[in-house]
Amino acid sequence: MEDTTTAAPAPGEHAGTSAGDVVLRVLRVSLHVGFALLLAVGIIRVLVTDTSAPTWITSLALAGVLAAVYLLGTLWENRNARGLAPDPSRYAHLWLLIVVVLWLALMWLHPDFSWLAFPLFFLQLHLLRTQTALIAIVGSTIVVIAAQWAHAGTVSAAAVIGPLFGAAFSVVMGFAYRALHTEGVNQRRALDELRRTRTALAGEQHRAGVLAERERLARDIHDTLAQGFSSIVLVSRSARAALDAGDLELASQRLETVATTASDNLGEARDFVRGLSAGNLEAAAGALAGRFARLCAATERTARAAGADLECRFREDGEPQALPTDVSGALLRTAQSCLANVLAHAGASWAVLSLGYLPGEVTLDVYDDGAGFDPAALPTAARPDGTGFGLLGLRARMAALGGSVDIESAPGEGTVVAVRIPLRMEDGHG
């Protein structure tokens, strides 16, 4: 059984083997082997030197019980160290008491069992508190000397010096073993704490990744599907008004716009299902410009269907170049979100989408001549109804790419949203 003054290692602490563990294992095995050998020597001495049948029969019986009790304790401790049995430390003192009592009975029958005192010294040092262990060792040494004296009828120098030297050696070795054992337990606890910390960190990283992915999907859904549904609602209301006015041709045109917008939204939804959202958009030079041009045309159609007169134009400056997929996706989502805001809130007569390629960065400016607003009054969090997320999502998207967003506007003076995204040298840009 192990030391009750040191907390037993938790399950899993035994994993891994260090040099200290090997030394401790060798010492433990040596202790158990030494105990068995000394007990066997005592039994042989009884059989050889004692002709009294009752004495050696009693000695054999007590030795068998002592061997069984000792073996039971060591096996229990070993199974606990491997996490296969409960902690035996609460019974360690009782176990040691039974072993000592059986040893005293054997020594009373025959003095050759006194040599078992040496492994018992180690057990006392290991299982008891230091002060209690030293008192127990002194008492055991005195008992050994007294037993030798009682059986021999006289006291010799060897009978005194031997037990005293053995006790002193056992104390020194016992303290060394305790220090090694404590260090080994502390190291295993530190490793176990490191494993728990790494597990917790991995869990936090997983949760952070899940939250980041949710935010990305929320931004993409807002800038595509939600804005598309908003356009459908706006145009369908205009179609109802045309129907109420009896203008079937105009209502038909607006319903066609609703169908086109719904079809586009369906395509976006399928992209999400296939995992082909912003991170997987085509990034080749010229492809992004084509999508921006189509976006401007779609915005004009939606505006006309809603009864507004909005002219939307796309302009490209600089030498077009292939962009990383995350950058091209962010620019497209930004353009979709900004033009949707122009349709829904600006009341503008024209809007310009300007894509620029500069050394080391790409820029996107969205300008409209609409009603404008006070940038200082922008919400710092999405509203409970889910609105107010567009510009917040835009800032988060740019921050993830190391880019920036600048908004210039004033009531009655239109709005400019300017986006700047740096291009990394390893991507072949800049």
Side-chain angles (χ1 to χ4, degrees), residues 362-385:
V362 62
T363 67
L364 177 65
D365 297 325
V366 183
Y367 172 72
D368 70 81
D369 65 343
F373 61 93
D374 181 7
L378 289 174
T380 58
R383 303 183 184 93
D385 62 357

Side-chain angles (χ1 to χ4, degrees), residues 116-127:
L116 286 170
F118 299 118
L120 290 179
F121 290 159
F122 284 101
L123 291 177
Q124 290 165 348
L125 278 169
H126 192 54
L127 296 177

Side-chain angles (χ1 to χ4, degrees), residues 28 54 66 320 408:
R28 281 197 297 270
L66 176 58
E408 298 181 7

Side-chain angles (χ1 to χ4, degrees), residues 336-390:
Q336 290 172 325
S337 178
C338 290
L339 290 181
N341 285 334
V342 171
L343 276 175
H345 308 296
S349 60
W350 57 271
V352 177
L353 197 63
S354 179
L355 176 66
Y357 296 94
L358 301 176
E361 68 176 6
V362 62
T363 67
L364 177 65
D365 297 325
V366 183
Y367 172 72
D368 70 81
D369 65 343
F373 61 93
D374 181 7
L378 289 174
T380 58
R383 303 183 184 93
D385 62 357
T387 61
F389 185 78

Side-chain angles (χ1 to χ4, degrees), residues 13 21 24 59 72 91 128 145 166 212 219 257 275 353 389 403 407 417 426:
E13 286 184 335
D21 292 330
L24 288 173
S59 298
L72 176 63
Y91 304 108
L128 302 175
I145 295 173
R219 292 193 299 266
T257 301
L353 197 63
F389 185 78
I407 300 175
V417 178
E426 58 267 27

Side-chain angles (χ1 to χ4, degrees), residues 36 86 120 143 148 273-274 288-289 331 376 402:
L120 290 179
V143 169
Q148 297 281 353
V273 173
R274 292 193 303 264
L288 188 60
L331 292 173

Side-chain angles (χ1 to χ4, degrees), residues 26-349:
V26 170
L27 289 176
R28 281 197 297 270
V29 172
S30 299
L31 173 65
H32 300 328
V33 171
F35 185 91
L37 290 176
L38 291 174
L39 182 60
V41 168
I43 293 173
I44 293 172
R45 290 285 297 170
V46 168
L47 295 176
V48 171
T49 62
D50 201 320
T51 58
S52 174
T55 299
W56 61 260
I57 291 175
T58 304
S59 298
L60 285 176
L62 288 175
V65 174
L66 176 58
V69 172
Y70 188 90
L71 182 62
L72 176 63
T74 55
L75 289 177
W76 192 354
E77 183 276 329
N78 185 59
R79 286 176 61 83
N80 171 258
R82 291 182 291 149
L84 302 177
D87 184 5
S89 59
R90 58 186 298 184
Y91 304 108
H93 290 167
L94 177 60
W95 176 81
L96 179 61
L97 177 62
I98 294 173
V99 169
V100 170
V101 169
L102 291 172
W103 166 65
L104 291 174
L106 284 170
M107 193 168 53
W108 180 74
L109 291 172
H110 200 283
D112 284 322
F113 287 107
S114 61
W115 299 109
L116 286 170
F118 299 118
L120 290 179
F121 290 159
F122 284 101
L123 291 177
Q124 290 165 348
L125 278 169
H126 192 54
L127 296 177
L128 302 175
R129 296 182 183 276
T130 301
Q131 184 176 357
T132 305
L134 293 176
I135 294 174
I137 290 173
V138 171
S140 299
T141 304
I142 294 174
V143 169
V144 170
I145 295 173
Q148 297 281 353
W149 185 4
H151 284 282
T154 182
V155 180
S156 64
V160 175
I161 294 175
L164 290 176
F165 179 81
F169 179 78
S170 299
V171 168
V172 173
M173 293 301 297
F175 281 132
Y177 177 86
R178 177 179 289 184
L180 283 173
H181 178 267
T182 302
E183 180 65 20
V185 169
N186 290 337
Q187 287 182 354
R188 289 192 294 272
R189 285 176 174 167
L191 288 174
D192 191 58
E193 180 64 26
L194 178 61
R195 294 188 193 100
R196 287 195 296 268
T197 301
R198 291 175 61 183
T199 300
L201 180 60
E204 289 299 324
Q205 289 176 337
H206 174 71
R207 284 189 287 273
V210 169
L211 290 176
E213 181 64 11
R214 286 178 178 175
E215 290 181 3
R216 185 189 70 81
L217 288 175
R219 292 193 299 266
D220 287 348
I221 290 172
H222 174 273
D223 294 342
T224 56
L225 302 182
Q227 299 291 10
F229 289 135
S230 177
S231 297
I232 290 172
V233 171
L234 181 65
V235 178
S236 63
R237 288 174 180 171
S238 179
R240 176 177 291 275
L243 286 173
D244 292 340
D247 192 343
L248 297 181
E249 182 179 357
L250 180 59
S252 177
Q253 292 175 356
R254 291 175 179 175
L255 288 175
E256 182 65 27
T257 301
V258 168
T260 301
T261 305
S263 178
D264 292 342
N265 261 25
L266 179 60
E268 294 285 357
R270 286 172 174 166
D271 282 348
F272 283 122
V273 173
R274 292 193 303 264
L276 301 176
S277 53
N280 295 298
L281 294 170
E282 186 180 4
L288 188 60
R291 299 201 66 162
F292 281 161
R294 292 192 294 273
L295 177 61
C296 286
T299 301
E300 287 186 348
R301 287 196 305 270
T302 302
R304 285 195 300 270
D309 184 15
L310 173 64
E311 181 181 353
C312 184
R313 292 290 178 265
F314 169 66
R315 185 175 66 197
E316 188 175 36
D317 299 319
E319 183 66 26
Q321 55 185 292
L323 297 176
T325 53
D326 54 348
V327 173
S328 62
L331 292 173
L332 180 59
R333 298 310 185 209
T334 297
Q336 290 172 325
S337 178
C338 290
L339 290 181
N341 285 334
V342 171
L343 276 175
H345 308 296
S349 60

